[in-house]
Amino acid sequence: MAAWIRYTAGQDLQGNSYPVDDPLAKRFAELHQMHGSDPRALVAAYLAMDDVVPNALAQDDAFAQAVLVAYQTLTQGGLREALAGL
């Protein structure tokens, strides 16, 4: 989930843009624009998409925290650091 959220940013860690091939790409871009500087708010916004994330999963605090930690690792340390932590 964290990797998907990171992918939907449409920009790599070096600032290079890439196309997000998803029917909801515009919606994702808006979420990143609104919450991109606040990982906790961004993850919460993605989990609140009840047409994408099942409510039971979205309400699971342990899942939400795991997604947040993984997302922060991806955005701060990159893929290599995220994979090293597995």
Side-chain angles (χ1 to χ4, degrees):
M1 179 90 188
W4 172 67
I5 294 171
R6 178 66 196 101
Y7 159 74
T8 63
Q11 191 174 62
D12 66 20
L13 294 179
Q14 289 73 42
N16 301 309
S17 295
Y18 55 82
V20 175
D21 186 17
D22 192 292
L24 299 176
K26 182 178 177 184
R27 185 172 169 194
F28 300 148
E30 291 169 355
L31 290 176
H32 280 277
Q33 186 165 1
M34 289 181 355
H35 305 292
S37 62
D38 183 354
R40 186 174 303 277
L42 181 64
V43 168
Y46 269 78
L47 293 178
M49 294 188 301
D50 59 358
D51 57 331
V52 176
V53 180
N55 190 43
L57 191 57
Q59 299 301 317
D60 186 320
D61 291 334
F63 178 74
Q65 183 62 27
V67 173
L68 175 61
V69 169
Y71 180 79
Q72 289 173 317
T73 301
L74 281 168
T75 57
Q76 295 169 4
L79 182 59
R80 185 167 296 185
E81 185 176 319
L83 291 174
L86 295 178

